[in-house]
Amino acid sequence: MWRGMREAVKAFSVQRDCPITAEEIGGLRASVGWDRDAGNWDRVLENAYMHLTIHDDGRLIGYANVISDGASNAFISDLMIHPDYQRRGLGRNIVRHAVGELKAAGIRGVYTTFVSELEPFYRSCGFYIFKGGIID
């Protein structure tokens, strides 16, 4: 390689409400170490305010679901990036895209939940971190 030349970095685009299947989401969930949650995804996609995806040559490598009342509040759920593509800014791009679309729609409150290990990531996305609770 010629001195000073950098390897080309592939750009991935975030798509809103791109057609995807429950099997694709289950496969991505399995790749990040979550259960496949088979059987529920068709309903989740049908009822979502929006879902965001990133593909690489037709393969689902990033996903997030957004739940909202459509007026003032939204919740980003199930953000996941395939392990082979992590640490490239793809998760941050999905969050940025979601927040941009929500703010453009007049939705101001954007929330999420996460495990403590991901706090630095969510801080870097602009989230204010405070204590909360969840029954799961």
Side-chain angles (χ1 to χ4, degrees):
M1 182 184 273
W2 169 78
R3 186 178 208 149
M5 184 180 206
R6 294 184 181 194
E7 184 179 333
V9 176
K10 186 171 184 177
F12 297 98
S13 63
V14 177
Q15 297 177 338
R16 179 179 175 167
D17 299 330
C18 178
I20 56 173
T21 66
E23 292 79 26
E24 288 177 287
I25 297 170
L28 184 56
R29 285 179 63 89
S31 78
V32 299
W34 298 352
D35 66 52
R36 288 183 163 271
D37 205 20
N40 296 322
W41 287 104
D42 291 329
R43 216 167 98 203
V44 168
L45 292 169
E46 181 180 312
N47 292 307
Y49 178 81
M50 73 174 144
H51 65 270
L52 302 167
T53 56
I54 299 175
H55 288 84
D56 185 13
D57 293 326
R59 176 182 174 205
L60 182 66
I61 62 166
Y63 171 84
N65 182 47
V66 179
I67 303 162
S68 178
D69 58 16
S72 62
N73 294 296
F75 182 80
I76 299 174
S77 174
D78 297 312
L79 172 61
M80 54 191 136
I81 303 297
H82 191 283
D84 293 345
Y85 295 84
Q86 291 177 1
R87 302 208 174 276
R88 297 185 191 185
L90 300 180
R92 196 170 290 105
N93 285 346
I94 287 179
V95 171
R96 201 175 292 131
H97 193 95
V99 170
E101 293 225 8
L102 292 164
K103 287 189 182 268
I107 298 168
R108 295 180 47 187
V110 181
Y111 308 91
T112 192
T113 57
F114 52 87
V115 294
S116 60
E117 295 84 36
L118 294 176
E119 183 176 330
F121 167 77
Y122 283 100
R123 278 190 190 281
S124 76
C125 290
F127 282 89
Y128 172 74
I129 310 302
F130 59 94
K131 291 196 182 249
I134 186 172
I135 297 173
D136 183 17

